[in-house]
Amino acid sequence: MKNNIITPKRSLTEETEKMLNTQIIMEGKSSAYYLSMASWCETQGYNNSAEFLYLHSDEERGHMLKLFKYVNEAGGHALQPEITGIKHSFKSLREVFEDVLKHEIQVTRSIHEIVDYCLNTKDYTTFNFLQWFVMEQREEETMARRALEVFDIIGEDGIGLWTIDQEIGKLHQASDVEQG
Ligand code: OFO
């Protein structure tokens, strides 16, 4: 029988634990996607984009670990996700960043669903914990959109792609400065 009540041993319901474990899968996938993208960029000579994506992959693993800690501390069990079906090659550098944006939009939706659930079930502790992710997603979507704008502003002809790669490298530095 499902234990959907909070007990002395746990402050999470099973349903919330399940949703957070699903989010762990998403963050693990984000990390794996960005690692694969970074590797492809490196093989194509887009070294700044590769660096941006390697760092981003590490950050996503950090997000996954944040969820691990929370779930276990709240009396649940965080599960290491199985991750398969990673795309290894891309038609273009633009396609890489289009995929980043599409993926981040999905992650935001998923976070919002859990936030919504927590609010409806009055799990204000998890609701509060998730606010960090809400803000993080806003930043990440903004960064992905900015990356795509760089393609539109500079254009991909001639030395355009080389310049785009340089500018994408600067985006990560800018976000590091903003985050302090
Ligand atoms: Fe985890 O922030 Fe993107 O996906």
Side-chain angles (χ1 to χ4, degrees):
M1 200 183 91
K2 277 212 148 190
N3 172 13
N4 253 346
I5 51 165
I6 293 167
T7 70
K9 284 199 171 160
R10 50 186 296 143
S11 58
L12 277 184
T13 64
E14 282 190 5
E15 188 55 29
T16 311
E17 177 183 355
K18 201 168 130 203
M19 290 179 104
L20 292 174
N21 266 315
T22 302
Q23 191 60 35
I24 282 176
I25 299 174
M26 289 211 89
E27 303 293 342
K29 274 190 183 165
S30 304
S31 181
Y33 285 163
Y34 299 154
L35 185 58
S36 179
M37 288 171 178
S39 179
W40 180 84
C41 286
E42 201 165 37
T43 64
Q44 305 299 307
Y46 300 126
N47 292 345
N48 295 291
S49 301
E51 192 53 25
F52 173 99
L53 290 159
Y54 278 127
L55 288 169
H56 210 45
S57 168
D58 280 350
E59 278 179 18
E60 296 295 354
R61 181 176 152 75
H63 301 170
M64 184 178 77
L65 293 179
K66 221 182 233 297
L67 286 157
F68 261 71
K69 288 265 169 234
Y70 181 77
V71 170
N72 289 340
E73 280 170 15
H77 185 184
L79 305 173
Q80 162 64 38
E82 299 286 335
I83 295 170
T84 52
I86 301 300
K87 182 169 166 183
H88 296 293
S89 50
F90 302 84
K91 285 202 287 287
S92 62
L93 187 60
R94 181 190 275 265
E95 185 180 86
V96 168
F97 285 94
E98 281 171 350
D99 284 1
V100 171
L101 179 59
K102 272 188 230 149
H103 182 68
E104 288 302 333
I105 290 172
Q106 276 181 18
V107 175
T108 303
R109 251 183 230 144
S110 162
I111 293 279
H112 287 181
E113 269 173 34
I114 313 175
V115 168
D116 199 42
Y117 181 80
C118 290
L119 201 55
N120 287 328
T121 56
K122 298 190 175 11
D123 179 353
Y124 299 121
T125 311
T126 308
F127 174 86
N128 189 46
F129 164 74
L130 288 170
Q131 296 314 298
W132 183 89
F133 286 86
V134 171
M135 292 314 290
E136 180 67 14
Q137 281 313 118
R138 193 195 61 82
E139 273 174 25
E140 295 205 342
E141 274 194 34
T142 302
M143 200 189 312
R145 288 199 171 86
R146 273 200 207 142
L148 285 175
E149 273 165 23
V150 167
F151 286 84
D152 294 336
I153 293 164
I154 297 175
E156 296 173 52
D157 296 337
I159 62 159
L161 273 174
W162 182 86
T163 315
I164 288 167
D165 183 51
Q166 302 286 317
E167 292 302 316
I168 285 175
K170 288 181 204 161
L171 277 184
H172 212 286
Q173 290 157 12
S175 91
D176 284 349
V177 170
E178 275 167 31
Q179 284 169 21

